[in-house]
Amino acid sequence: MRGISTLARSFEAALRGGARGPLIAALACLALAVLALAAAFALRPAPLKAQSSADNAAQRAHMGVASCAGSTCHGRSVASGTPIRQDELLRWQEESSPTGAHSRAWRVIGEPRGAAIARRLGLDSAGLVRECAGCHASQGAARLADGVDCEACHGNSGAGPGGGWLATHYTVGTSHARNVAQGMTDLTVPRVRAGVCLDCHLSGDGPGQFIAHRIMAAGHPRISFEMDLFSTLQQHHDEDADYIARKGHKTNSMQMWAIGQAEAVARGLSLYLQPAKASDGVFPEFTFYDCHSCHRRIYDSDEANVSAVPNPGRPIHAGMPPYNDENMILLLAAARVVAPAEAATFDARAKAFHRAMGVGRSETVAAAQALRQAAEALSARFAATAFSRDQAFTVIDTIASDAIAERFTDYEGSVQSVMALDTLLNGMVNAGMVTAGSAGNLRLQINQAYAAVRDPNGFQPIAFRRALGSAVRSIRSLR
């Protein structure tokens, strides 16, 4: 694992010089050209009106990648458009960059690792669609090969269709608000974006969107979620003056990070509260639990070497699998800076939730509901917070403080904390709080922290805390 978020934009800019344009359907391009010509004569958007059942069916249709690929829309091979880049599909398809990961999502199912997972799970072609298409393709799409396409994220609440807004979102006089009213997902709202991303990057309620432990046991990568970092790696647009004029504001990366932590906690608890997802036969569903708490080396000798380190945030007895708290730890760090009173409530409820797991299901459900409410309240509080330069630095300090750092006893939470430092530093650069040159000078320390969590089997909590502290002290020097 390596630090990449602060370098992502310059890295991707270099890739744009290369150039293989996206494959586009000629018939779709011709249709879009006709639509664009008609739009040129429109003085203002057509008024909204009651829709017939046929219109409603058309609005629910999944239009597909080709519908976005016109040379006057998103299908150029170079970024030369105004007010948008117009090479968004090329960036979505980029083979050598994380930017193209969504377009490759279905393809990986047939690659060696994906094929091995399918074989272990005993999945035939129908099983692959049932178990994997919910996240590795777009719901309602006719072409699974397109992977996670435009409408998966920009469609109606992230569920697919663009039929309601695609034909009018580029017309003269239209607006972002109108597009949203017609069904486009407003990804500029952090809580909305989190809901879309979490469906696949944590788990969701849609078909094939719950990543159970049996899937990870078959070889699926470990699930983690960092909304601002992931958004940076997948970004296909420029947040320039045109963007701000259309959307009304620029992305606040620090706010995006904090809300991402809160929404991840709330989503995980919402899924856990569902009885059908909370257990797997007589066993609990282990996807909710901290992987490293069980996946440790076993020493069967007279001199037992216990490698577990006590976590003050999880008041549970030894040998009990702990609920995965990586997002809880960082949510608490942000809350202590922005909302100290709510932070105390959240911390108390988190401890009560962990403790209840040693009592029984009904007690745990009640505690989970209370904790989810606390997380949702913090998400709303963050949505109303601008996150000043001082608050950003204080959050970074808090992550490395004794009260928080002593909770980094397991691999997952430690990885999440390094991504947080990287994300917050990048956010300060984007907001003009820190210069790009100064942040770049700290890359060595950030990479050393990443190195401390490179190997889950060799993870050492105390050594990691030292690396984390060194990175934070370097960032603190910019204050």
Side-chain angles (χ1 to χ4, degrees):
M1 198 166 193
R2 55 194 177 91
I4 46 181
S5 70
T6 56
L7 301 177
R9 287 184 177 85
S10 59
F11 163 55
E12 291 166 13
L15 289 170
R16 290 200 296 271
R20 185 189 61 260
L23 297 176
I24 54 178
L27 187 58
C29 288
L30 178 61
L32 281 171
V34 173
L35 286 171
L37 182 62
F41 292 95
L43 296 178
R44 58 183 178 273
L48 296 174
K49 59 182 180 179
Q51 302 291 312
S52 67
S53 58
D55 289 336
N56 289 332
Q59 288 184 357
R60 290 193 297 272
H62 190 102
M63 306 302 289
V65 173
S67 63
C68 305
S71 61
T72 58
C73 299
H74 301 290
R76 289 191 182 186
S77 60
V78 293
S80 56
T82 300
I84 60 172
R85 295 177 55 90
Q86 296 189 348
D87 68 339
E88 289 82 6
L89 279 177
L90 182 145
R91 303 185 90 195
W92 170 78
Q93 283 187 324
E94 178 53 59
E95 289 289 339
S96 59
S97 165
T99 312
H102 279 166
S103 69
R104 301 189 294 267
W106 184 255
R107 187 198 313 170
V108 301
I109 299 296
E111 292 176 354
R113 183 173 187 172
I117 293 171
R119 185 174 62 255
R120 293 177 190 125
L121 291 172
L123 299 178
D124 56 13
S125 57
L128 286 174
V129 173
R130 182 183 65 252
E131 296 281 352
C132 309
C135 286
H136 285 266
S138 297
Q139 295 183 35
R143 276 178 49 86
L144 292 176
D146 284 339
V148 179
D149 67 14
C150 316
E151 291 159 279
C153 301
H154 297 283
N156 187 5
S157 299
W165 51 268
L166 186 64
T168 61
H169 82 284
Y170 51 80
T171 56
V172 176
T174 195
S175 67
H176 179 65
R178 177 183 170 85
N179 293 331
V180 171
Q182 291 184 313
M184 178 184 279
T185 305
D186 193 356
L187 297 177
T188 67
V189 179
R191 298 181 79 181
V192 173
R193 183 183 298 193
V196 173
C197 300
L198 283 165
D199 282 346
C200 292
H201 288 281
L202 192 67
S203 270
D205 275 326
Q209 287 185 339
F210 184 67
I211 300 101
H213 186 255
R214 63 182 178 83
I215 296 175
M216 287 191 284
H220 193 285
R222 185 182 66 86
I223 300 302
S224 64
F225 180 69
E226 174 49 78
M227 184 162 69
D228 188 70
L229 175 60
F230 291 1
S231 295
T232 297
L233 297 178
Q234 288 298 307
Q235 185 168 304
H236 309 312
H237 61 273
D238 294 329
E239 295 200 355
D240 51 14
D242 290 326
Y243 177 91
I244 296 172
R246 286 181 289 115
K247 308 295 187 181
H249 60 85
K250 187 177 181 179
T251 297
N252 184 324
S253 295
M254 292 160 287
Q255 182 189 67
M256 188 79 70
W257 168 80
I259 290 175
Q261 302 302 324
E263 293 295 325
V265 171
R267 172 63 66 87
L269 292 168
S270 296
L271 294 169
Y272 177 79
L273 284 167
Q274 300 178 32
K277 291 186 171 71
S279 61
D280 183 14
V282 298
F283 290 99
E285 174 47 71
F286 290 120
T287 194
F288 292 109
Y289 296 85
D290 193 305
C291 305
H292 204 254
S293 64
C294 292
H295 290 278
R296 295 179 181 271
R297 291 184 174 88
I298 296 175
Y299 297 89
D300 188 11
S301 63
D302 292 338
E303 297 180 1
N305 186 351
V306 178
S307 57
V309 177
N311 185 331
R314 302 193 297 215
I316 59 178
H317 60 73
M320 178 180 171
Y323 188 93
N324 193 356
D325 64 352
E326 60 188 80
N327 298 111
M328 292 184 193
I329 298 173
L330 295 177
L331 175 55
L332 178 61
R336 285 187 168 176
V337 176
V338 174
E342 290 91 332
T345 299
F346 177 80
D347 192 23
R349 291 185 180 182
K351 291 176 179 176
F353 170 66
H354 287 299
R355 193 179 296 112
M357 284 194 155
V359 180
R361 172 70 182 170
S362 61
E363 291 83 359
T364 305
V365 166
Q369 289 171 332
L371 182 57
R372 182 183 63 177
Q373 290 170 359
E376 290 172 343
L378 285 170
S379 181
R381 180 69 180 269
F382 294 153
T385 302
F387 284 86
S388 66
R389 184 178 191 274
D390 185 63
Q391 284 178 318
F393 273 112
T394 305
V395 169
I396 290 173
D397 276 342
T398 303
I399 289 172
S401 68
D402 290 342
I404 297 297
E406 64 182 355
R407 303 182 188 216
F408 297 132
T409 57
D410 295 286
Y411 179 74
E412 282 83 356
S414 302
V415 171
Q416 199 78 29
S417 70
V418 182
M419 289 195 294
L421 294 187
D422 210 356
T423 294
L424 291 168
L425 181 59
N426 187 57
M428 287 192 285
V429 171
N430 292 341
M433 300 174 181
V434 172
T435 67
S438 298
N441 291 336
L442 302 181
R443 179 48 50 191
L444 175 62
Q445 288 78 16
I446 295 288
N447 285 345
Q448 286 175 343
Y450 273 114
V453 290
R454 180 175 292 121
D455 177 17
N457 294 314
F459 174 70
Q460 298 293 329
I462 306 304
F464 165 74
R465 291 177 195 171
R466 286 196 294 267
L468 180 71
S470 176
V472 167
R473 285 191 296 274
S474 297
I475 296 173
R476 189 184 299 145
S477 68
L478 301 179
R479 191 166 188 171

